[in-house]
Amino acid sequence: MERIKAVSKREQSQTCLNSAEREQARPKVKILLVDDDRQNSEFLQKFLEVEGYEVTYAENGRNGWEAFAAAKPDLVLLDVNMPEMNGFEVARLIREHDHDVLIFFLTDRTEKADRLKGFFLQGNDYIPKPFYPEELIAKIKERFEHRQPVHPSRITIGQTIFDRDLSTIEINGTVQHLSARQSEILVLLTQNIGQTVERDTILKTVWGNDSYANSLALNVQITYLRKALASDTTISIVSLKKRGLILEVDNG
């Protein structure tokens, strides 16, 4: 049975006493824990929750994959040896849909080949069992605390993968290149999904001023963007007359 190392009751008590202070200092990080060892997982879940993290638990790989979309985690903690679907298979599915969520493998499979496979699947860390919960907490803190917020290069909107660095969109395996201005417009819209982005904001951000000529150019670029996104029926760019634009996404 794969295990985590226990901490003493005194250590747990001290953790509880300080948890409120730590939670105030830390943004809420959502964690999906996927492990078939229920007993140790319940202990680890409670430890993480005391530390101020929001934890969703799944007891096998298939349930973990099904929980992923609903939980929308910032971090996935994955056991490898599990029934239904192993951790490597879950990681592969996650990476097909999300390139930004962090994945930590927690496992007693410590051979070089297993570690390399974990990193080949774009895992962000590989922690051998047994481990101390404090060790895991330290790694999570290193990833999520004391860092500037960043916007991911690749994001998924509807059925479209938008890469802001490469100025490309990918829909059903077909990649299209956007112009620099089309990409800048789409960045603004994706940062404000479902909300109105004022025309003046777009014009001043993308063109530098809100002149009449640039306003006409914006209309042209929106026409090109709509054409590029046309094969994804789950998203649409809605124009509000004399106000701005809204990127609407129908996630079903």
Side-chain angles (χ1 to χ4, degrees):
M1 177 182 293
E2 296 186 347
R3 300 177 296 107
I4 60 175
K5 294 181 180 179
V7 295
S8 69
K9 291 184 178 179
R10 181 178 179 180
E11 289 172 315
Q12 287 179 282
S13 298
Q14 186 61 46
T15 298
C16 292
L17 289 172
N18 296 331
S19 63
E21 180 181 344
R22 280 194 288 267
E23 188 169 356
Q24 289 179 352
R26 177 187 300 118
K28 202 76 167 180
V29 173
K30 294 186 289 186
I31 297 174
L32 174 61
L33 171 60
V34 188
D35 194 324
D36 63 328
D37 185 343
R38 179 180 289 274
Q39 181 177 356
N40 279 312
S41 294
E42 287 178 350
F43 169 79
L44 181 58
Q45 180 176 359
K46 289 177 182 177
F47 195 95
L48 290 166
E49 289 172 343
V50 166
E51 285 287 321
Y53 300 106
E54 180 180 327
V55 183
T56 299
Y57 171 64
E59 62 184 1
N60 61 55
R62 188 172 302 281
N63 288 350
W65 168 237
E66 291 172 353
F68 177 77
K72 297 181 179 178
D74 303 296
L75 168 65
V76 181
L77 302 177
L78 270 179
D79 183 20
V80 174
N81 292 328
M82 292 185 291
E84 303 288 336
M85 185 185 295
N86 69 45
F88 291 144
E89 293 172 312
V90 177
R92 177 181 55 79
L93 288 172
I94 288 174
R95 283 294 179 242
E96 287 177 359
H97 295 78
D98 192 320
H99 296 271
D100 301 301
V101 65
L102 296 184
I103 298 175
F104 288 5
F105 291 103
L106 311 178
T107 178
D108 63 355
R109 290 175 58 167
T110 57
E111 295 296 322
K112 178 181 177 181
D114 292 317
R115 288 175 174 268
L116 289 175
K117 185 171 184 179
F119 288 115
F120 176 78
L121 291 167
Q122 300 177 53
N124 302 96
D125 210 330
Y126 199 100
I127 304 173
K129 293 182 178 180
F131 60 87
Y132 289 105
E134 294 92 340
E135 176 188 358
L136 176 61
I137 294 297
K139 288 177 176 290
I140 295 173
K141 285 182 178 180
E142 190 276 329
R143 293 283 184 168
F144 288 100
E145 295 184 5
H146 312 301
R147 69 178 187 178
Q148 296 296 320
V150 296
H151 296 292
S153 170
R154 289 167 60 93
I155 63 171
T156 300
I157 44 174
Q159 299 170 0
T160 300
I161 299 173
F162 171 43
D163 191 318
R164 57 184 290 168
D165 289 348
L166 298 179
S167 295
T168 61
I169 56 173
E170 179 180 341
I171 306 173
N172 297 324
T174 300
V175 177
Q176 301 179 67
H177 290 271
L178 304 177
S179 70
R181 282 183 171 153
Q182 290 164 15
S183 183
E184 289 179 50
I185 294 168
L186 194 54
V187 165
L188 290 174
L189 294 177
T190 56
Q191 289 175 352
N192 299 275
I193 292 175
Q195 302 177 29
T196 301
V197 182
E198 301 292 336
R199 286 183 67 89
D200 287 352
T201 299
I202 299 173
L203 290 168
K204 290 176 181 177
T205 301
V206 178
W207 278 271
N209 65 71
D210 57 355
S211 70
Y212 179 70
N214 289 337
S215 183
L216 293 178
L218 172 58
N219 294 339
V220 172
Q221 297 302 327
I222 292 300
T223 298
Y224 285 133
L225 265 180
R226 286 181 173 138
K227 183 177 180 181
L229 295 167
S231 59
D232 184 350
T233 58
T234 66
I235 61 178
S236 59
I237 300 174
V238 178
S239 296
L240 302 178
K241 190 174 182 180
K242 297 182 179 180
R243 287 188 57 196
L245 301 165
I246 301 177
L247 179 65
E248 294 186 344
V249 181
D250 180 5
N251 291 315

